[in-house]
Amino acid sequence: MSLNMKSLTQALAKTAAVIEKTVQTTVQEVTGPRPLQDYDLLDQIGSGGPGLAWKLYAARPRSSAPSTQYPVVCVWLLDKRALSETRTRAGLTRATEDSFLDVIRADASRLLRIRHPGVVHVVQALDESKNAMAMVTEPLFASVANTIAQLDNIPKVPAELKGMVMGLLEIKHGLLQIAESLDFLHNNAHLIHRAISPETVFITSTGAWKLGGFGFAIPIDQASSDLTETQTFHYPEYDVEDSILPLQPSLNYTAPELVRSKSSTVGTSADIFSFACLAYHLIARKPLLDCHNNVKMYMNSLSYLSSESFSPIPSELIVDIQRMLSTNVSSRPSAMELTGSSFFRDDTRLRALRFLDHMLERDNMQKTEFLKALSDMWKDFDARILRYKVLPPLCAELRNMVMQPMILPMVLTIAKSQDKNDFELSTLPALVPVLTSASGETLLLLVKHADLLVDKATQEYLLSHVLPLLVRAYDDSDTRIQEEVLRRTLPLARQLEMQLVKQAILPRVHGLALRTTVAAVRVNALRCLGDLVPALDKIAVLDILQTMQRCTAVDRSAPTLMCTLGVSHAIYKQFGLEFAAEHVLPQVFPLLMAQQLSVQQFAKYMLFVKDILRKIEEKRGVTLTEHGSSEARDSPSLSNELHSEPYQKQAGPIQSAKKTTSWDEDWGLINGRNAAAPNPLASNSTSNAPKPFVSFHSPSIG
């Protein structure tokens, strides 16, 4: 009986396993490979691998995805059905298709096992269903093939790839990275790649060049054996276009010892030959051996290379590239020798990029000296170098609090050239810790660049990080920070709901206007209130009028009085005659007696008051002359001349003034006597002259 129960248990377990596998297979056929279940595909960014068969998609992980350091990854997708249809149209056999898929599987398997900074990092291993294959890697920009206008298998070409041209410095830096990766591959992984070409080299989202396409790679010990059939490839002796299902590397980049059927053993120098062909194509912008997979044309081209063939190549590279292309394998340099070439070593800008590659490994003294040199050098870099080579390592270094004051200005300056999406993906995550903890000079710098942050940050980041940063700036005791944040309030307020502005911003602006003993802060606070008037309701504006009254009660310096006039005009313009007559004029009339106003400034006050009075007369249907008789008169319009800078228009002539100026242009430098009137809310008050004001040629204030 026990035997029967044991057999039954085993049978049930086997049945359960079969059912589970059947369910998994059924689900997979419906939903596709696992990566398609774990990630949301965004836009296709490029193609790569043998025959550019892989479609590369940017993707975001779902909750079911394995944890990863990357907020955005790259999903590699191969559509088996489309591949089968293409194979049928080309008249190829099913065996050819199966062999090609085996190459793809070998590539993915090898890629998963090799761990090195110069090899594309796999996040989720290859998975396949009946109709598709997919795997996930670190985020990529594209394959190198895509950057030189090889755009096969990309139905909708991304804007970044259209007409893309890489500069020599970017190419040089990328080639150096590939040379270092080959050195690792040969001396540590003990592999020969055998297929170095534009379609097997990939550029990451941070601009690093990395190796992929290991479908044809073999161990060095296998290459050194006498298994010639596994070492060489067989190409036709007639012109053919690149196969849609390539079962061997592109002949344009393949070493001659891999082509000759009677070749001796193959070594790592085969990859050096391919590297030379890749370098030539990228620098000269055309392939060296454009032979259409015709082995006869290949051999002829290789045998009759002339000195003119190398004319597009920089002189310091010609000797090295000729050595790499030698048919004598022993004459070719090693990958390590290549990294010491004068083509790389003697370029100061390249050395700077190399320092950035390894910046986290350097001590702070080395970094300081380097950043001083970089501050004079980085402005000569093109936009792609800045975005992909300079910005990522600088962002990573922002975590170093000692280096942060030197690095942050560069990061913010480079970020100005980024689009909103790029900024959100690459720069903002690195800035978030800085935004959260910034104080002192760092806080001042960030506030000065608040327009950049407000313009490029999403609403989520704006509320969670940028707004708290600026709130801390309002509350800071440093008057420089207070002035800067007041100047940048309006762009922020335009991006926020008005209720949030009333709760988080307005009370702090009122507080700065009332509590400060520095004239520049009070003036900027009043101007800020005036700028916000068009977006506020009457209750909020009545609070502004109360703040104005309290400010002018303790400070009747000319700048404060003229800002008060500007705010008054903004209120009049926004809420009309009756509101101005009831709430604004009672505050303005006493200020007409202020002795601190110059003749021109007093004239502007009178012009404002008379304009309101004239409108009242017109509304009542009568206009009185000085002698008491009624008379129709035309009064010059104020336009917007009395408002603060964001609403300023061309001012009309003022009869009593010597020259036409707007109200804020009359704020001269404040002398010690009236720079800041005593504030009963603070003791021992001192003041500084407000920076935005310029002197004028009329009589001095006060």
Side-chain angles (χ1 to χ4, degrees), residues 600-614:
Q600 291 89 342
Q601 292 164 344
F602 175 77
K604 290 188 177 184
Y605 257 88
M606 288 302 300
L607 193 59
F608 175 71
V609 171
K610 287 183 177 180
D611 186 66
I612 295 178
L613 295 176
R614 179 180 59 80

Side-chain angles (χ1 to χ4, degrees), residues 30-334:
V30 173
T31 59
R34 188 72 196 179
L36 299 186
Q37 303 170 39
D38 293 341
Y39 297 87
D40 291 317
L41 299 189
L42 305 176
D43 297 324
Q44 184 179 353
I45 57 171
S47 59
L52 299 177
W54 284 110
K55 288 186 175 181
L56 308 177
Y57 290 88
R60 292 188 187 277
R62 297 175 181 170
S63 57
S64 60
S67 60
T68 175
Q69 59 182 313
Y70 309 110
V72 174
V73 296
C74 180
V75 170
W76 299 44
L77 180 62
L78 191 148
D79 188 337
K80 288 183 179 179
R81 289 179 299 184
L83 196 71
S84 183
E85 291 171 2
T86 304
R87 185 262 304 169
T88 302
R89 287 196 301 269
L92 300 175
T93 64
R94 179 60 185 267
T96 301
E97 180 181 339
D98 292 340
S99 297
F100 176 74
L101 293 177
D102 286 340
V103 172
I104 295 295
R105 294 185 186 101
D107 176 11
S109 175
R110 190 84 71 179
L111 204 59
L112 181 65
R113 295 199 301 271
I114 301 175
R115 298 298 180 90
H116 184 262
V119 175
V120 175
H121 174 224
V122 176
V123 174
Q124 191 168 347
L126 177 72
D127 189 32
E128 59 180 302
S129 64
K130 180 180 179 180
N131 297 318
M133 305 172 77
M135 66 176 179
V136 184
T137 69
E138 63 183 301
L140 300 178
F141 171 73
S143 66
V144 168
N146 298 155
T147 69
I148 54 175
Q150 295 178 14
L151 302 171
D152 298 351
N153 210 14
I154 311 178
K156 184 180 179 182
V157 179
E160 295 85 354
L161 293 176
K162 291 180 179 177
M164 177 181 169
V165 177
M166 288 188 291
L168 180 60
L169 180 60
E170 182 176 3
I171 293 171
K172 188 182 293 190
H173 186 228
L175 290 173
L176 181 56
Q177 290 176 322
I178 296 301
E180 292 176 335
S181 300
L182 284 176
D183 178 55
F184 161 80
L185 203 66
H186 296 162
N187 296 312
N188 298 92
H190 304 293
L191 288 174
I192 306 173
H193 192 284
R194 299 202 305 171
I196 301 296
S197 69
E199 59 192 26
T200 61
V201 176
F202 297 86
I203 303 176
T204 69
S205 60
T206 57
W209 288 30
K210 299 193 176 187
L211 284 177
F214 286 88
F216 301 108
I218 58 173
I220 290 178
D221 56 359
Q222 178 181 335
S224 61
S225 69
D226 292 330
L227 300 177
T228 307
E229 285 299 316
T230 65
Q231 300 170 21
T232 59
F233 302 107
H234 302 281
Y235 296 90
E237 296 187 355
Y238 49 86
D239 286 8
V240 293
E241 294 301 321
D242 288 341
S243 172
I244 57 171
L245 301 176
L247 300 182
Q248 49 201 10
S250 172
L251 186 55
N252 287 355
Y253 307 93
T254 303
E257 59 268 27
L258 292 174
V259 176
R260 299 183 184 125
S261 59
K262 296 182 180 180
S263 173
S264 59
T265 56
V266 175
T268 56
S269 58
D271 288 342
I272 302 302
F273 182 95
S274 300
F275 178 85
C277 294
L278 173 67
Y280 184 97
H281 191 164
L282 294 174
I283 296 172
R285 307 193 192 283
K286 62 181 180 180
L288 176 66
L289 306 171
D290 193 6
C291 52
H292 305 285
N293 282 322
N294 181 332
V295 71
K296 283 188 174 181
M297 184 182 295
Y298 169 87
M299 289 300 184
N300 288 335
S301 300
L302 191 59
S303 301
Y304 297 104
L305 287 176
S306 65
S307 58
E308 293 181 1
S309 303
F310 299 96
S311 58
I313 304 301
S315 58
E316 63 271 23
L317 181 61
I318 290 178
V319 173
D320 288 328
I321 212 165
Q322 287 175 337
R323 288 179 61 207
M324 288 187 275
L325 292 170
S326 173
T327 55
N328 181 0
V329 296
S330 61
S331 299
R332 298 176 195 161
S334 66

